[in-house]
Amino acid sequence: MKKIIKRIFMVITVFIAGVAVIAGGYMQLPKFGKSPSGKRLERIRQSPNYKDGSFQNRTETPSLTEGVSYYTVFKEFFFQKSKRVEPDSVLPSKKVDLMKLNPSDDVLVWFGHSSYFMQLDGKRILVDPVLSGSASPIPYTTKSFKGSDVYKVEELPEIDYLFISHDHYDHLDYETIIALKPKVKKVIVGLGVGEHLEYWGYNPADIIEEDWNEQVILADGFVLNTTPARHFSGRGLKRDGTLWMSYVLSTPNHKIYIGGDSGYDKHFAEIGEKFGPFDLVFLENGQYDKNWKYIHMQPEEVVQAAVDLKAKRLFPVHWSKFALALHAWDEPIIRVVRESKKRNLPLLHPMIGEWVYLNDSLQSYNWWEKVK
């Protein structure tokens, strides 16, 4: 009996070791990126936001809410998720020819989740593009909703400024970034994220890589201010080796807040006091859960954050493409619309691919109500 148990134990050990070796080899693929090194790592170590080998949030930010274990998270994921985490039907969408833009038009097109295109005062801007159909490095997982993949990279025009908020897979997509390389003039990232881009063939001279609370004069009346967020980063086993960001973009005629991912915190009010009011703010609204309340906002907090920022209009993103949490796919927009009406805060909520003129005060209709 002891020999049988010993053999079983040996088989299990060998199996686990084999899986570890395979996984270790798989994680050497380029899509996982590369950890900061050399002069970049030296610069990171000088950051006031870097301590004990990783970047830190300004406020203590546990990965999980107090009293919650990973066992609880896994149990709820497998047994308590909404039956409507994904829509049953194909999402409606529209499509315009982005190659034929009038340079004088100030427009916005949302690609679902946190990916969107803007043309502001003649400059073309792209934020967190994920156009590959997946938000995971593992094949056949975290696939996009049916109908949400309207645009391909080859259908995008030349991009003056590509903004990346952080290096999670649903914001920094290897396949999309590789395909975009010939189209991008400048890419703007937080400290450490430039290592991924250089590894993937981007010219270091085209990468603007900054810490929080920096200012960059871009060109032609375009000014960038880097601002904090309350989140985390990482593409492998090690977390927080690169910095997560939000951005204030001032153009000759607009002031925009690009929020990235963030839990609610005092930084919104501080940014609003220093840089507000904003013509438009993009804030994450989706993939939240009570179990990780410090790193993603509830919809009601999204509206409060917009108020803190002194926003004239709110565009809620981070929903309607991937199921990364347990809530129904349309719950984020339903709750944020309800709360914004209470607070009298104008919203933009177009369909994926819909053309939005930023100087037009009209709001989109509630298109999600017709989706099963």
Side-chain angles (χ1 to χ4, degrees):
M1 187 66 179
K2 289 182 178 180
K3 290 183 178 180
I4 294 175
I5 293 174
K6 187 176 181 180
R7 287 178 181 176
I8 292 174
F9 179 76
M10 289 179 62
V11 169
I12 293 173
T13 302
V14 170
F15 175 76
I16 293 174
V19 170
V21 169
I22 293 171
Y26 184 72
M27 291 183 68
Q28 300 306 308
L29 293 176
K31 60 184 170 183
F32 287 92
K34 192 175 181 182
S35 298
S37 60
K39 291 183 178 180
R40 177 174 280 110
L41 182 57
E42 291 178 14
R43 183 185 175 195
I44 286 172
R45 287 171 174 165
Q46 298 303 311
S47 169
N49 304 302
Y50 190 83
K51 183 180 179 182
D52 298 329
S54 63
F55 283 104
Q56 308 288 327
N57 284 296
R58 295 172 61 201
T59 303
E60 184 178 357
T61 304
S63 300
L64 297 179
T65 304
E66 295 88 349
V68 175
S69 67
Y70 281 103
Y71 170 76
T72 300
V73 172
F74 291 135
K75 182 181 69 173
E76 291 183 2
F77 178 81
F78 287 107
F79 300 107
Q80 297 179 26
K81 69 171 62 175
S82 170
K83 295 180 180 179
R84 297 184 62 251
V85 291
E86 298 184 16
D88 289 333
S89 56
V90 176
L91 293 180
S93 64
K94 292 186 178 181
K95 191 170 184 178
V96 295
D97 190 346
L98 296 176
M99 296 292 192
K100 297 181 179 179
L101 289 172
N102 184 334
S104 64
D105 288 338
D106 293 337
V107 296
L108 161 70
V109 177
W110 180 48
F111 302 137
H113 203 63
S114 294
S115 306
Y116 47 94
F117 168 90
M118 294 183 284
Q119 180 173 274
L120 301 173
D121 296 313
K123 296 292 185 183
R124 293 169 177 176
I125 298 157
L126 187 62
V127 178
D128 286 356
V130 180
L131 306 179
S132 67
S134 174
S136 169
I138 303 173
Y140 311 110
T141 62
T142 319
K143 304 294 289 183
S144 54
F145 298 162
K146 295 178 181 178
S148 66
D149 291 315
V150 180
Y151 290 89
K152 299 178 181 178
V153 170
E154 53 264 34
E155 296 171 314
L156 301 183
E158 190 174 69
I159 301 299
D160 293 291
Y161 302 116
L162 168 62
F163 284 81
I164 302 296
S165 65
H166 61 298
D167 68 2
H168 284 158
Y169 295 98
D170 58 322
H171 295 262
L172 179 61
D173 178 55
Y174 171 73
E175 285 79 7
T176 302
I177 294 298
I178 290 295
L180 274 170
K181 191 163 43 176
K183 295 176 178 279
V184 174
K185 294 181 180 179
K186 294 289 183 182
V187 55
I188 299 164
V189 298
L191 285 181
V193 178
E195 190 83 30
H196 299 312
L197 298 173
E198 286 189 34
Y199 179 48
W200 296 337
Y202 275 70
N203 186 341
D206 297 334
I207 301 171
I208 299 173
E209 186 173 358
E210 300 294 339
D211 204 343
W212 293 338
N213 303 314
E214 304 286 350
Q215 184 178 85
V216 180
I217 307 301
L218 296 173
D220 305 323
F222 281 70
V223 179
L224 167 70
N225 287 92
T226 60
T227 44
R230 190 184 190 190
H231 199 55
F232 67 108
S233 67
R235 297 176 72 83
L237 299 178
K238 184 181 184 300
R239 285 178 40 152
D240 303 339
T242 62
L243 189 57
W244 46 100
M245 306 289 285
S246 65
Y247 301 101
V248 173
L249 178 62
S250 301
T251 79
N253 294 295
H254 300 275
K255 186 172 285 185
I256 307 292
Y257 179 72
I258 299 171
D261 281 2
S262 181
Y264 183 75
D265 205 0
K266 60 184 179 181
H267 66 280
F268 291 116
E270 293 171 351
I271 294 168
E273 190 65 31
K274 185 174 182 179
F275 297 105
F278 289 93
D279 299 301
L280 179 63
V281 301
F282 294 88
L283 292 172
E284 60 122 325
N285 177 55
Q287 321 321 315
Y288 50 79
D289 192 283
K290 66 183 187 302
N291 291 333
W292 52 82
K293 67 177 185 179
Y294 295 115
I295 54 175
H296 285 295
M297 291 185 282
Q298 298 285 319
E300 294 75 22
E301 292 177 312
V302 173
V303 176
Q304 182 61 56
V307 172
D308 292 349
L309 288 163
K310 302 180 181 179
K312 296 177 182 177
R313 287 189 290 180
L314 164 64
F315 195 128
V317 297
H318 211 243
W319 71 287
S320 195
K321 190 160 190 171
F322 303 112
L324 303 173
L326 309 183
H327 56 67
W329 77 273
D330 55 354
E331 180 187 295
I333 192 65
I334 291 171
R335 287 174 59 180
V336 83
V337 166
R338 182 170 60 230
E339 185 66 17
S340 67
K341 288 180 178 178
K342 291 180 183 178
R343 306 295 294 269
N344 196 30
L345 177 66
L347 287 184
L348 285 177
H349 42 66
M351 285 187 290
I352 291 174
E354 186 174 3
W355 191 280
V356 177
Y357 286 92
L358 291 180
N359 294 324
D360 189 344
S361 61
L362 295 178
Q363 298 183 47
S364 305
Y365 72 99
N366 294 358
W367 56 267
W368 56 89
E369 293 177 350
K370 297 183 179 181
V371 181
K372 295 181 180 180

